[in-house]
Amino acid sequence: MTKKIPAATVRRLPTYLRYLEEVGIGVGTIGSEEIAAATGGSAVQVRKDLSHLRYSGTRGVGYDIDLLARAIKKALGLDRTRRVALVGAGNLGTALAGYTGFAATGFDITAVYDKNPRRIGALISGMAVRNVEDLVADARIAPYEIGVIATPVGAAQAVADAMVEAKIGAILNFAGVTVKVPPEVVVRNVDLSTEFRILSYYLSR
Amino acid sequence: MTKKIPAATVRRLPTYLRYLEEVGIGVGTIGSEEIAAATGGSAVQVRKDLSHLRYSGTRGVGYDIDLLARAIKKALGLDRTRRVALVGAGNLGTALAGYTGFAATGFDITAVYDKNPRRIGALISGMAVRNVEDLVADARIAPYEIGVIATPVGAAQAVADAMVEAKIGAILNFAGVTVKVPPEVVVRNVDLSTEFRILSYYLSR
DNA sequence: TAGATTGTTAATCGATTAACAATC
DNA sequence: TAGATTGTTAATCGATTAACAATC
């Protein structure tokens, strides 16, 4: 177990990494000023964030892009592939299943599930949609680490329960409703209407 | 201009409101304890958050659901409809355009844009996809307040530039890359790979 | 009045920023 | 050595929590 990284830093490290991947790994060095400009933060904050990593930059020079990217990956546990189960084969699920791009490597969406018989068996990104009732049994054979909920509101809690039963440790919930899970399961919620409403507040001032 | 609400509170108010809408407006009162349980926070935090509103609860009783919902809506500027322009008519854009549900009322996705000639003219949720080059001119006739970027990485900055030129004040960016906009434009970023990577950190400890 | 529950003040905790030391 | 840039310490700021007063 490595040293704990502050939550705010954990949220920003992926953005830094994404930028490093964009400029291209193995292309020399980069300064905190450039990373900050590209990711919308301040240079001090970038340096403070990066100070939690095992790797340090070189004063007067900057950070070696390759080594920095590796250090961030290591710190975020991105040095291994994680199996992902996606539940919900509607428009959103289809969009998520088709998600590629360099930043998505390391997350292997192994199967897509749905409960609608019309969708079960259909092909999405080359995968035949499976019955959500098979999720727990499938996980016994090959465990999932991450579950993605891309169902309508009404189905979300049942899906979360199944994911917990399948011993999934982290859930990404797009369903627009808070799901209840045991405290050891990590949940992140992404909801369009919540985002709109937050923006609305800042528009109105 | 009303009193400023702390950023952390602004992020949570939509979740409270969503829950109130779920239990049903006009059904009596509700306690901070129940709101906390349903939204995954603590009761003190709920009360502290709600103390920023114009409306106060009743000691010994709780909050009137109807009045509380109204007060949150008012505070978030949800007492009016906002026009939304969605750019990117792929899987994700289609999913977002089809988003409905009570929480989405008040955000009127008026038009969907794309730059791919094959998609222009196609129907998405009853709207004919328009050429993204028309965005600025369209906005001159009827302004948009919010822009949603649902394009691939490569197109995102150009779309953001067009949105700024169209005088859009708030952007919801699903493109997985940080876009540069003037400081008065509010941007929120939603990115699948970033979410996966954050979850990865918590899985690895 | 007693019980329930909100609202506020102060303390603690965590995050950001300023200032500057370190060192390539 | 001088210039550039990182890394750290301390100060400030903002968010959360504890304790309790207020009041229905």
Side-chain angles (χ1 to χ4, degrees), chain A residues 14-198:
Chain A
T15 308
Y16 302 157
L17 178 57
R18 211 175 53 187
Y19 181 64
L20 296 178
E21 289 168 334
E22 193 187 321
V23 303
I25 287 178
V27 191
T29 63
I30 194 169
S32 59
E33 205 67 67
E34 180 181 344
I35 297 175
T39 59
S42 75
V44 222
Q45 189 167 71
V46 168
R47 291 203 298 278
K48 185 82 182 201
D49 286 338
L50 299 185
S51 74
H52 294 98
L53 305 175
R54 302 298 207 95
Y55 165 76
S56 288
T58 308
R59 289 160 205 243
V61 178
Y63 302 89
D64 180 286
I65 295 179
D66 197 355
L67 294 177
L68 179 56
R70 279 186 212 213
I72 295 178
K73 283 187 193 164
K74 184 91 195 207
L76 294 176
L78 299 174
D79 42 5
R80 41 192 296 266
T81 294
R82 298 187 190 275
R83 283 167 47 89
V84 178
L86 169 60
V87 180
N91 276 326
L92 179 61
T94 304
L96 298 174
Y99 189 90
T100 51
F102 43 19
T105 57
F107 298 93
D108 184 9
I109 300 182
T110 313
V112 180
Y113 296 86
D114 204 294
K115 79 171 176 194
N116 184 338
R118 286 226 206 100
R119 284 185 184 150
I120 294 170
L123 278 186
I124 290 186
S125 291
M127 292 170 279
V129 175
R130 296 181 56 73
N131 190 325
V132 68
E133 288 176 12
D134 296 335
L135 174 63
V136 175
D138 288 358
R140 255 183 230 122
I141 295 164
Y144 296 111
E145 293 188 88
I146 297 177
V148 179
I149 304 178
T151 67
V153 171
Q157 185 59 57
V159 170
D161 293 344
M163 286 177 173
V164 169
E165 199 188 336
K167 299 201 162 48
I168 282 174
I171 294 175
L172 186 52
N173 176 24
F174 286 90
V177 66
T178 308
V179 295
K180 279 185 195 114
V181 298
E184 70 271 16
V185 178
V186 192
V187 180
R188 288 188 60 85
N189 298 292
V190 177
D191 176 37
L192 180 66
S193 77
T194 296
E195 296 297 331
F196 275 160
R197 286 170 162 185
I198 294 170

Side-chain angles (χ1 to χ4, degrees), chain A residues 2 76 188 195 200 205, chain B residues 2 76 188 195 200-201 205:
Chain A
T2 56
L76 294 176
R188 288 188 60 85
E195 296 297 331
S200 171
R205 23 190 33 254
Chain B
T2 57
L76 294 177
R188 289 189 60 86
E195 297 297 330
S200 171
Y201 173 78
R205 33 188 25 252

Side-chain angles (χ1 to χ4, degrees), chain B residues 164-185:
Chain B
V164 169
E165 198 187 337
K167 299 200 163 44
I168 283 174
I171 294 176
L172 186 53
N173 176 23
F174 286 89
V177 66
T178 307
V179 294
K180 278 184 197 118
V181 297
E184 69 272 17
V185 178

Side-chain angles (χ1 to χ4, degrees), chain B residues 175-198:
Chain B
V177 66
T178 307
V179 294
K180 278 184 197 118
V181 297
E184 69 272 17
V185 178
V186 192
V187 179
R188 289 189 60 86
N189 299 292
V190 178
D191 176 36
L192 180 66
S193 77
T194 297
E195 297 297 330
F196 275 159
R197 286 170 163 186
I198 294 170

